[in-house]
Amino acid sequence: MSRMTQPLSILHSVFGYPAFRPPQDQVIDTLMAGGDALVLMPTGGGKSLCYQVPAIALPGTGIVVSPLIALMQDQVAALRQAGVAAAFLNSSLSAEEAREVIRRLLAGELDLLYVAPERLVQESMLDLLERVQINLFAIDEAHCVSQWGHDFRPEYIRLEVLHQRFPAVPRIALTATADEATRREIRRRLDLDQARAFISGFDRPNIRYRIAEGSGGSRERLLRFIRDEHPGEAGIVYCLSRKRVDEIAAWLAAQGLDALPYHAGLSQEQRETNQRRFLNEEGVIVVATIAFGMGIDKPNVRFVAHLNLPKSIEAYYQETGRAGRDGLPADAWMLYGLQDVITLRQMMEGSEADEQFKRIERHKLDAMLGLCEMTGCRRQALLTYFGDPEPEPCGNCDNCLTPPETWDATVAAQKALSCVHRTGQRFGVNYLVDVLLGKDDERIRRFGHDRISTFGIGTELSVAAWRGLFRQLIARGLLAVDAEGHGGLRLAERARPVLQGKEQLWLRKELPAAKRSTRGRQAAAMAGVDAELWEALRRKRRELAEEQGVPPYAVFHDATLMELVARRPASLWEMATISGIGSHKLETYGETFLDLLADYPRDGAARPDASETQQETLTLFKAGMTVAQIAAHRSLRESTVYGHLAEAVARGEVPLAEVVELDEAEIERIGAMIELQEGGRLKAVFDALEGRYDYGVLRCIRAARLPANSS
Ligand code: ADP
Ligand code: ZN
């Protein structure tokens, strides 16, 4: 195929998207000009388009190296839906199917060919590629080249041969997880010294981070979380052991949820079936060890739950990053407890690795524990950890939404630490708590610990409170766990200043489980005809996907369906302007969906005053998008979106608390200030608050108090 089309027109006509997200356009320009690129973008950032668009635009075929079969199949299915000539070569093909792909490659019929790394570096494959026109090499998941990372793949190192054999072909390496050192390694090993780097921030603003301490009742809390916040939605639950995975999956299934296990102990066949169901159906929950996830490209995973503590922030971020690739609101929810902390500390101490390696691991675990115990913004901590400069508190994590209280735990900590000291630095938490509470116990008497000074000096706290305190002392490294695995605790160097009274210790206050709910914005479920239409669209999508054996999101993403509900296009022409509908999809599905839309005319009577544009904002908002997302999605300013919502607030259609995420006292304070102004004028209030709140937010607050003034 020899043609040369502009990237932007490909974005419009093939993918149906209105604009590139920076830096996609710059990456594409670099490749089209023959240069190499190193792209670091968060999951869901839009890495694929960076090589798909130029591969389509330039004459010849783009070769994509991808480590996972499932990922290749997914991408190829999605490309074909968009009308792109794409194929893959990997071990899942029969000899005959592979021959057909090669025939198409040689005939110049393919825009994109996905190849497994071990196949790409075979001599026969390289010879084959020399006979065709290659327009670029894309190396996906490029961090797999790093020996230090957890995804190391030896075949990746051999990819340097690409540059030797095809020096003139531009190459692009892409990854979502690479610290400074890994980036250097990618450059060195893949011969990418000259590559232009595109490093985007790591932020995933649509993911809400929540970490709660949980001892006991964790599966009930998990169930409540799923039922209350994600009924019928897809999610992943991570557990540490296979046994626990089986247990939790079976239990959730017994509660009526569509939950499936996934771990290395299952047969290959069982794993594939479960993974396929997760990808191809809606609302499946996979309970898994970390073996599940890499290469899971499903865009509408609405939550990732951890019932155990990951070993490092890198692992946590990668695992939680599988939620919300489509940019719509998603939850990263974790429960962790005393036993997690002890187990991980023990694993580390008992490991046979050399001292330097252990030091790094210990440091990583410290950072992870620090994230759990902190009282400030979690996202800020995550982004700082990954080197993003000066992030602001996010307003979308548990600590921002419900700031935790702290208490002066200095005296309690001194009691706990001296109890460890006086009992000889070899007992575990349960025993120590019994001593502190002065329990009548045969073992305590046998050791003579009923006669030491710390016996019974801790009756002011409950068992749970002491366990929580010990957890935090271990997490903060004031207490060390023995290497033998009995859970015995000893004092660490860091305990000294606290014991000597030179340092105070302020800790998170533990709230009873029920209280630690995160009040925040939930999708306020669409109602009436909108809800019926939404369900009908999803049914139709599923039907079409099943017919073709592709996942539903390959047909249309959720965001595209939401926009169909919001805009109710009445012609193909209007439909073409919806994000995610390119010309091929319009041709394939347009009529079908138009027919369906015609059966669900908008319930006009319900909201006589709402203009169409307000209506659209409102529908997207009710479907769960945040103000920022609606603004980005519709290319409007946030204040405009707030303006639309203010009208809905004034009409009483949307509760104010859902629109502005401020606590009640703050809303009350601002509201009172507004009422004091003549005619509710906002300028003076805006200034008095030093511009901290958008005019749009003020307008919404005014709308709730002085409805008449809102328009
Ligand atoms: P990554 O590989 O970086 O995790 P993807 O390439 O899978 O991300 O893209 C994430 C999602 O964003 C996909 O659904 C993709 O279609 C969408 N997307 C990418 N670029 C754009 C764009 N310019 N406009 C709208 N949507 C986009
Ligand atoms: Zn935050």
Side-chain angles (χ1 to χ4, degrees), residues 11 17 19-21 24 42-49 297 325 557:
L11 185 75
Y17 295 139
F20 284 114
R21 292 180 189 154
Q24 285 173 332
T43 308
K47 284 185 286 300
S48 332
L49 285 189
D297 229 356
R325 296 180 74 121
H557 279 208

Side-chain angles (χ1 to χ4, degrees), residues 588-644:
T588 323
Y589 304 123
E591 296 286 356
T592 310
F593 280 86
L594 275 183
D595 285 349
L596 196 128
L597 285 162
D599 292 341
Y600 296 83
R602 188 162 2 246
D603 189 358
R607 303 186 201 96
D609 344 330
S611 72
E612 208 167 302
T613 176
Q614 283 172 18
Q615 190 66 59
E616 179 168 356
T617 291
L618 199 58
T619 311
L620 294 174
F621 186 77
K622 287 191 173 167
M625 283 198 192
T626 61
V627 171
Q629 285 161 347
I630 297 171
H633 187 77
R634 302 194 57 202
S635 305
L636 297 173
R637 286 187 308 146
E638 284 191 19
S639 5
T640 311
V641 174
Y642 274 120
H644 295 163

Side-chain angles (χ1 to χ4, degrees), residues 10 53 89 99 188 266 332 361 501 508 543 556 590 676 694:
I10 289 174
V53 169
L89 270 180
R99 262 198 304 281
R188 187 164 53 82
L266 298 173
E361 295 280 285
R508 272 180 92 96
E543 194 182 294
F556 283 135
L676 284 175
D694 191 291

Side-chain angles (χ1 to χ4, degrees), residues 191-438:
D191 231 328
L192 280 170
D193 309 321
Q194 305 296 319
R196 187 160 164 211
F198 298 90
I199 315 291
S200 306
F202 286 90
D203 195 12
R204 303 286 314 281
N206 59 314
I207 297 183
R208 171 170 297 176
Y209 297 99
R210 297 156 64 178
I211 302 178
E213 51 280 333
S215 9
S218 50
R219 51 178 213 189
E220 282 77 14
R221 286 169 74 181
L222 172 69
L223 178 68
R224 201 174 334 130
F225 163 71
I226 298 175
R227 280 204 177 135
D228 289 354
E229 306 190 27
H230 296 285
E233 296 183 328
I236 305 174
V237 179
Y238 284 113
C239 304
L240 211 54
S241 69
R242 297 175 188 181
K243 184 163 151 275
R244 182 99 167 126
V245 163
D246 288 332
E247 226 170 75
I248 296 285
W251 188 76
L252 289 177
Q255 308 302 312
L257 301 184
D258 203 350
L260 304 171
Y262 189 103
H263 57 68
L266 298 173
S267 71
Q268 166 109 4
E269 197 187 330
Q270 192 61 53
R271 284 206 307 266
E272 278 172 14
T273 310
N274 291 359
Q275 172 160 337
R276 200 167 322 115
R277 283 204 52 209
F278 179 71
L279 293 175
N280 288 358
E281 295 177 22
E282 313 218 32
V284 174
I285 297 163
V286 163
V287 185
T289 53
I290 48 170
F292 181 76
M294 195 178 159
I296 294 299
D297 229 356
K298 188 178 171 72
N300 57 343
V301 176
R302 292 272 69 87
F303 68 91
V304 169
H306 280 94
L307 289 185
N308 287 96
L309 198 66
K311 285 207 309 222
S312 65
I313 289 190
E314 285 88 345
Y316 172 74
Y317 208 62
Q318 192 174 49
E319 285 154 25
T320 54
R322 291 170 187 139
R325 296 180 74 121
D326 53 11
L328 299 176
D331 274 301
W333 184 93
M334 179 162 98
L335 272 186
Y336 82 111
L338 175 63
Q339 198 49 50
D340 284 313
V341 180
I342 292 178
T343 309
L344 282 175
R345 283 275 191 234
Q346 243 160 20
M347 269 164 57
M348 218 130 279
E349 293 307 318
S351 121
E352 303 281 299
D354 67 46
E355 207 30 57
Q356 191 200 344
F357 186 77
K358 274 199 334 206
R359 203 160 49 233
I360 296 173
E361 295 280 285
R362 222 178 284 136
H363 174 74
K364 291 194 164 178
L365 178 57
D366 281 344
M368 184 65 221
L369 292 170
L371 178 74
C372 294
E373 302 290 354
M374 69 181 300
T375 50
C377 172
R378 311 246 196 223
R379 187 185 317 273
Q380 206 173 17
L382 286 167
L383 297 179
T384 307
Y385 183 85
F386 290 115
D388 272 10
E390 299 179 36
E392 297 274 312
C394 73
N396 193 27
C397 71
D398 52 357
N399 286 352
C400 281
L401 292 165
T402 324
E405 290 175 41
T406 55
W407 62 297
D408 183 351
T410 315
V411 172
Q414 285 166 343
K415 289 181 183 176
L417 294 170
S418 50
C419 189
V420 171
H421 179 66
R422 301 213 180 270
T423 51
Q425 311 206 44
R426 59 202 170 94
F427 291 94
V429 172
N430 292 338
Y431 185 86
L432 293 163
V433 172
D434 284 350
V435 173
L436 284 163
L437 292 175

